[in-house]
Amino acid sequence: MSNDPSIAPIAPLRGEFSDAATEAGFLHRQAATILRDLRRGLLLCSLFYLVFGATDIAALGLAKAIVPLLSRLAIPFVAAACLFYARRPAASVRATGHAASAFTLCWAASYFVVICYRPADILLHAMAWAVMAMVIHVLIPNRLVHAAAITAGASLVFIGLAWTRHAVETRALSSLTMLLVGANVFGLTVAQRHARMWREQYWAQQVLTNLSIRDPLTGSYNRRHLNAGLLDGEIARARRYRLSLSLIMCDLDGFKKINDTHGHHAGDELLRSFATLVQTMTRDAIDTVVRYGGEEFLIILPETRLDGALELAERVRAVFAAQRVELEDGLSLGTTASFGVVGAEFGGSHAVTPQGMIALADQLMYEAKHAGRNQVRAKQLGQRVEKVGRVA
Ligand SMILES: Nc1nc2c(ncn2[C@@H]2O[C@H](COP(=O)(O)OP(=O)(O)OP(=O)(O)O)[C@@H](O)[C@H]2O)c(=O)[nH]1
């Protein structure tokens, strides 16, 4: 697997992202498209089966064609049942897979019934089967491994039926086998290519999105992401579910002096080490670290009360103050940071705005600076009580 982040990490045989979480994210994003494709694929297959039903009547006459005809007619009903099962958007990702597998099994079963009733036309059935196997791979969205297992297994049964019913000569049996193998391999290859291209496109989008919303130096989110409604969204969610929300504004102390004394490269290393520390000490996929300014970071802590946010700020402050960054030229550097913490409870009726929360966190951080740096100031929004963190 390549280490280049722009190359999508896709397992070649499965045609899926090697990482389960990325695959789940991809499927979640594509759920509506997958359901739409399933709908179209099943509709098309159902139409074909209705037309095939007419060929049964032509070959056997209406009276003898009843059973194969019923097995063909069952397909549109199975398709409708599968779509009904997969219709709920919340369950659609897994449900569409189940529906696709169930439909593929019924498609094969229907063929077996027809073959038993029209064994003399086995070569025609084989050709139609080959076309349908490719259609199933290309038009019915399913996991490649599941689709491959079902169509390969069903093709083996098909060949077994042709063999045991002596429907074809041995010479023709080998051609029939090759036809089915070819249909499975070609269909699977096209489906695999499609699955890979789809995921590569998604990955490229993710990479571009990440580049546009992250700061390249520290890997934290940038102001653009914050301004795109990040905090508004968290406040709206907290208000709706009556949750707590806290913010921490942090700023590195004496940073200008470090730049002036040791150069921008040393300053960059310190910034990186601070951002990494904050990212490792906060919750993945829940908390958000934003590079708010040059050496200023904003941490958004959903479902966190003021006490918890104050505790986190204290821990970051203490660990960072004790930490040294080793530079390439053997120099060991360290500094401290000042913090402003704001907590808001959304059970009450007081108005909370993103600008208001950020302004208060900023103000508290500057109070910490003016009080001597390397300390934490905290305040509950809408309350007078002010908490002051320990001074190291
Ligand atoms: N190395 C580096 N420096 C940066 C970056 N962004 C901003 N700076 C510098 O950070 C410094 C911030 O200086 P000040 O705002 O005076 O802050 P300070 O020196 O930390 O002083 P206090 O905040 O009061 O402790 C400036 O010299 C900026 O040029 C960056 O990405 N890399």
Side-chain angles (χ1 to χ4, degrees):
M1 199 70 59
S2 167
N3 286 327
D4 184 347
S6 65
I7 295 175
I10 298 171
L13 282 180
R14 283 186 291 128
E16 294 173 358
F17 284 112
S18 1
D19 170 44
T22 313
E23 178 67 17
F26 165 78
L27 291 176
H28 184 71
R29 178 75 72 85
Q30 304 298 335
T33 310
I34 293 171
L35 188 58
R36 189 200 61 205
D37 287 354
L38 182 73
R39 232 179 251 138
R40 288 182 183 170
L42 294 191
L43 184 69
L44 198 67
C45 290
S46 301
L47 286 175
F48 264 95
Y49 266 74
L50 291 178
V51 176
F52 282 146
T55 66
D56 293 330
I57 299 173
L60 302 174
L62 186 59
K64 285 187 179 170
I66 290 295
V67 176
L69 195 58
L70 284 179
S71 79
R72 305 266 208 200
L73 290 179
I75 291 297
F77 287 100
V78 170
C82 287
L83 285 177
F84 183 75
Y85 170 71
R87 79 196 184 285
R88 287 161 302 152
S92 62
V93 176
R94 287 190 72 192
T96 45
H98 294 156
S101 295
F103 178 80
T104 311
L105 280 169
C106 292
W107 155 76
S110 162
Y111 255 102
F112 299 146
V113 174
V114 175
I115 290 164
C116 292
Y117 276 80
R118 293 174 56 190
D121 298 323
I122 191 90
L123 288 177
L124 288 175
H125 296 321
M127 279 187 268
W129 172 285
V131 171
M132 286 306 292
M134 286 195 273
V135 167
I136 293 271
H137 278 305
V138 175
L139 291 186
I140 309 289
N142 197 359
R143 289 189 69 186
L144 280 186
V145 278
H146 291 170
I150 297 172
T151 51
S155 297
L156 280 177
V157 176
F158 190 114
I159 294 163
L161 275 177
W163 173 262
T164 52
R165 299 204 147 234
H166 305 292
V168 279
E169 298 167 13
T170 317
R171 247 177 339 117
L173 192 66
S174 59
S175 305
L176 181 148
T177 305
M178 280 315 296
L179 179 68
L180 298 194
V181 169
N184 277 307
V185 171
F186 292 142
L188 205 57
T189 307
V190 174
Q192 194 186 34
R193 193 172 293 175
H194 180 246
R196 206 185 59 225
M197 279 169 56
W198 207 8
R199 281 164 179 81
E200 280 171 353
Q201 206 176 31
Y202 168 81
W203 185 258
Q205 270 171 4
Q206 294 295 105
V207 169
L208 284 178
T209 306
N210 244 328
L211 282 176
S212 72
I213 63 174
R214 286 196 187 264
D215 160 47
L217 178 68
T218 62
S220 313
Y221 287 104
N222 58 22
R223 280 287 280 276
R224 182 189 310 189
H225 190 46
L226 180 71
N227 294 342
L230 179 68
L231 189 53
D232 306 61
E234 287 300 347
I235 288 180
R237 200 171 72 88
R239 188 169 284 134
R240 176 163 185 194
Y241 298 107
R242 299 183 152 250
L243 303 169
S244 326
L245 175 72
S246 294
L247 293 189
I248 305 177
M249 186 67 86
C250 0
D251 189 280
L252 271 60
D253 298 328
F255 198 65
K256 185 172 179 330
K257 198 169 163 210
I258 289 168
N259 270 333
D260 293 346
T261 315
H262 304 286
H264 263 69
H265 173 67
D268 286 353
E269 286 304 319
L270 264 183
L271 274 177
R272 244 190 240 123
S273 75
F274 182 76
T276 306
L277 178 70
V278 174
Q279 277 151 12
T280 47
M281 290 180 87
T282 47
R283 300 164 295 180
D284 278 350
I286 300 174
D287 302 333
T288 312
V289 182
V290 179
R291 188 173 175 195
Y292 193 72
E295 17 69 274
E296 203 172 358
F297 291 83
L298 177 71
I299 312 171
I300 302 172
L301 303 163
E303 294 180 45
T304 306
R305 300 169 65 88
L306 181 66
D307 286 356
L310 178 61
E311 202 183 307
L312 172 69
E314 270 296 339
R315 257 189 293 137
V316 175
R317 185 200 61 74
V319 174
F320 187 64
Q323 189 171 285
R324 309 287 298 173
V325 173
E326 309 296 330
L327 300 180
E328 277 170 9
D329 54 10
L331 193 71
S332 161
L333 267 186
T335 187
T336 55
S338 302
F339 300 78
V341 185
V342 176
E345 296 297 327
F346 287 82
S349 59
H350 60 270
V352 177
T353 62
Q355 296 79 6
M357 279 193 91
I358 291 177
L360 183 55
D362 216 29
Q363 180 193 322
L364 291 164
M365 188 270 292
Y366 277 108
E367 282 178 22
K369 289 259 184 203
H370 292 138
R373 297 183 175 82
N374 189 24
Q375 50 193 284
V376 182
R377 283 281 188 280
K379 190 173 180 182
Q380 181 75 34
L381 207 78
Q383 282 184 12
R384 287 204 178 162
V385 189
E386 196 165 305
K387 299 185 177 196
V388 182
R390 277 183 296 111
V391 180

